[in-house]
Amino acid sequence: MISNNCDPGPIPQFLSTILSQRIDSSNNNNHNNNNNNIIKNNSNNSSPIPNFSLNNLQQNQSLPLNSLYLPPPTLPNVEEDLVPPENFSLVSKGVYRSGFPKKRNFEFMKTLRLKTVLTLVLEDYPEANLEWCQSQDIQFMQFGIPGNKEPFDNIPEDVICSALVAIMDKRNHPILIHCNKGKHRTGCLIGCIRRIQSWTLTSIFDEYRRFSSPKSRAVDQQFIDLFDLIQVWNQIIEKGGGLNNLPNWEMLNIPKRINHNYLIIKKKEEENEK
């Protein structure tokens, strides 16, 4: 029976020695021939023989092997990173919201090109923040509101009204609105802006809870629902920028009687000027 195994087995020791000697002899001859050819070629060429010294090899090893090699990227400088304040977001064109800005947020805030910073905190504003606002030619507005921790404190409607009048004047834009965390006090003010923009209460409360989570307050949502917007429109006409300086927002619904009263006031002003 013929075996299917074609393995010839190990090479005998004497045969292995003979083969290795012949291979070494052949390599030496080839090496000598190559050296002779190099010498002959160099005798006809005036260029010097390359120096394959150990120093040159070490220098060549430091060069990139690939012409398309790119060095690894440098680590980012944390001090130059643009870090937004906590809870930062765009509200509408020209209006932003956030938590209390810190020094590390200043570089990011420069990119907003703010005209106004409006704070809702009661405490004295940090000197570093005031100096930064002055250095950037940013006007500072403070409408202090206590944190509405039910059932002890109530949000003052007159303060919210004054803040809304300032926000509804596009000459103050771009404007950044903030409190400590950018959650409850800022959320109440933004909720009133959404009502001016004719948002549904469902959408308003959904936005409020998204920013105030996990401590949403029912009293804040009640304030947004019951806040009287007519007083805001009256203040815009009497003390604010008027209807001509309202922001260019979609769904901005001006009550008919407010628009009618404004036209009457403007007509009287024109008659007095004559």
Side-chain angles (χ1 to χ4, degrees), residues 8 37 45 47 57 80 84 105 107 115 132 146 152 205-206 216 221 226-227 245 271:
N37 291 333
N45 192 347
S47 61
L57 289 175
E80 297 179 358
N105 309 132
E107 288 300 318
K115 285 186 179 180
W132 182 83
F152 305 103
F205 294 157
D206 179 68
S216 300
Q221 298 173 69
L226 300 178
F227 183 75
N245 290 310
E271 292 176 352

Side-chain angles (χ1 to χ4, degrees), residues 83-91 96-102 104-105 108 176-187 190 207-214:
V83 182
E86 180 185 5
N87 251 347
F88 175 82
S89 180
L90 173 68
V91 178
Y96 304 94
R97 64 178 293 170
S98 75
F100 207 104
K102 297 178 174 60
R104 65 174 179 267
N105 309 132
F108 172 83
L176 175 67
I177 306 165
H178 78 84
C179 54
N180 281 333
K181 298 294 184 181
K183 293 184 176 183
H184 303 107
R185 284 171 284 188
T186 300
I190 300 304
E207 181 183 42
Y208 168 84
R209 287 190 291 266
R210 189 166 67 251
F211 281 92
S212 61
S213 178

